[in-house]
Amino acid sequence: MANENKDKVGEGAFGLVLRTVYEEYDAMVKVPRLGDFFASHFLHEAQVLRYLDGAGGAPRLLHLGPPEDPRIFMTSAGSTTLQHLLDEEALDEQGVVQTVLSVALRVQEVHAKGVVHNDLKADNVMVSAACDQSGLHQVNLIDFGLSTFTREVERPQFELHESYGDCSVMFEEGDPANDVVDLGSMLKEALDEVCFLGSEEALGGALATLMEAMMRESASDRPDIGEVILSLQFLVGRGKS
Ligand SMILES: Nc1ncnc2c1ncn2[C@@H]1O[C@H](COP(=O)(O)OP(=O)(O)OP(=O)(O)O)[C@@H](O)[C@H]1O
Ligand SMILES: [Mg+2]
């Protein structure tokens, strides 16, 4: 079981996330900021994490606490958030392309499993401290508390599942275009931090055009995540002088 010796690593509107030890391993625990009021949201998030089984880089569920003390024990998804990288202005022009592409690929993984995230923002994307062989930081999606399904899937059941009560509101059908518009906002935020000058002007223009298409008001006018990925892949390596 869990050791209660914890340090805060982050907080959001719903939860406080603390470093902890679970069955002798380093882990994270998300506890609600509003007591057990949102217990059913925690049940939902735990179900989605178990169902995703690491798709999208999502943390793996280790344990879900009982409804009177709802808490999610999960693996760590990274050391810092994409928001932190943006605030630090740590990304250059190609950094923006590669990072948004990495996030888009993660989004495609969860869409392929019939899950729409619905709350994509730079705070909900974790970035690893280390780089992979291609020199890229690994990105992982977190915070699936508002996610929905695009199709009926078999949802994991837990001990004490019934006592959590009804959370059917979370099971409305999801529209993957919600994640495209949110990824467009993330791209917009990243573009606002970078100045595309000289040989990079064309790259900046292409990214701005893509961002506008992703943020179109009508969901059916937006590119799907596969098209976004193809556009970004085309732009990788472009604009370098
Ligand atoms: N598995 C994890 N590994 C590392 N850090 C995490 C993990 N889960 C959450 N965090 C950190 O805790 C913060 C809050 O977690 P989370 O986004 O799940 O809470 P929330 O209250 O649902 O957020 P929101 O306000 O977006 O609804 C994250 O922004 C991140 O910094
Ligand atoms: Mg969050």
Side-chain angles (χ1 to χ4, degrees), residues 8-19 27-33 42 45 49 57-60 72-83 117 119 121-126 140-146:
K8 185 167 113 178
V9 292
E11 67 188 305
F14 288 101
L16 207 62
V17 176
L18 309 148
R19 196 181 309 280
M28 300 287 157
V29 61
K30 181 168 173 176
V31 297
R33 288 162 65 100
F42 273 55
E45 183 164 6
L49 292 185
R60 287 178 191 275
I72 291 176
F73 290 88
M74 60 189 155
T75 55
S76 170
S79 53
T80 190
T81 63
L82 175 57
Q83 188 65 59
H117 188 287
D119 196 19
K121 53 186 178 181
D123 259 342
N124 287 339
V125 176
M126 298 303 299
N140 299 314
L141 306 183
I142 59 163
D143 195 359
F144 286 83
L146 296 177

Side-chain angles (χ1 to χ4, degrees), residues 18-195:
L18 309 148
R19 196 181 309 280
T20 188
V21 172
Y22 183 79
E23 291 182 343
E24 295 172 34
Y25 293 100
D26 288 336
M28 300 287 157
V29 61
K30 181 168 173 176
V31 297
R33 288 162 65 100
L34 300 163
D36 57 8
F37 184 68
F38 283 115
S40 62
H41 286 247
F42 273 55
L43 170 66
H44 174 70
E45 183 164 6
Q47 277 189 311
V48 174
L49 292 185
R50 173 120 326 145
Y51 168 75
L52 284 173
D53 196 23
R60 287 178 191 275
L61 180 74
L62 300 171
H63 177 72
L64 170 68
E68 63 280 8
D69 182 23
R71 42 187 67 208
I72 291 176
F73 290 88
M74 60 189 155
T75 55
S76 170
S79 53
T80 190
T81 63
L82 175 57
Q83 188 65 59
H84 182 75
L85 288 196
L86 294 177
D87 292 345
E88 297 284 299
E89 297 178 21
L91 299 177
D92 62 9
E93 298 81 356
Q94 271 301 315
V96 170
V97 179
Q98 307 257 12
T99 306
V100 177
L101 172 59
S102 300
V103 179
L105 288 164
R106 287 312 210 178
V107 172
Q108 190 180 44
E109 283 174 33
V110 307
H111 285 186
K113 292 201 82 169
V115 172
V116 180
H117 188 287
N118 288 323
D119 196 19
L120 274 184
K121 53 186 178 181
D123 259 342
N124 287 339
V125 176
M126 298 303 299
V127 181
S128 68
C131 295
D132 63 16
Q133 303 103 313
S134 6
L136 296 178
H137 292 278
Q138 203 187 15
V139 306
N140 299 314
L141 306 183
I142 59 163
D143 195 359
F144 286 83
L146 296 177
S147 59
T148 45
F149 293 94
T150 54
R151 55 176 189 259
E152 251 329 297
V153 301
E154 201 165 320
R155 294 187 194 109
Q157 297 285 308
F158 299 103
E159 230 181 294
L160 302 171
H161 196 108
E162 298 308 322
S163 45
Y164 266 92
D166 183 27
C167 55
S168 53
V169 64
M170 308 306 293
F171 299 145
E172 299 153 9
E173 228 175 76
D175 185 349
N178 292 348
D179 287 346
V180 171
V181 74
D182 287 348
L183 189 60
S185 306
M186 219 186 278
L187 175 57
K188 183 173 189 316
E189 196 180 338
L191 292 178
D192 287 345
E193 304 294 344
V194 182
C195 220

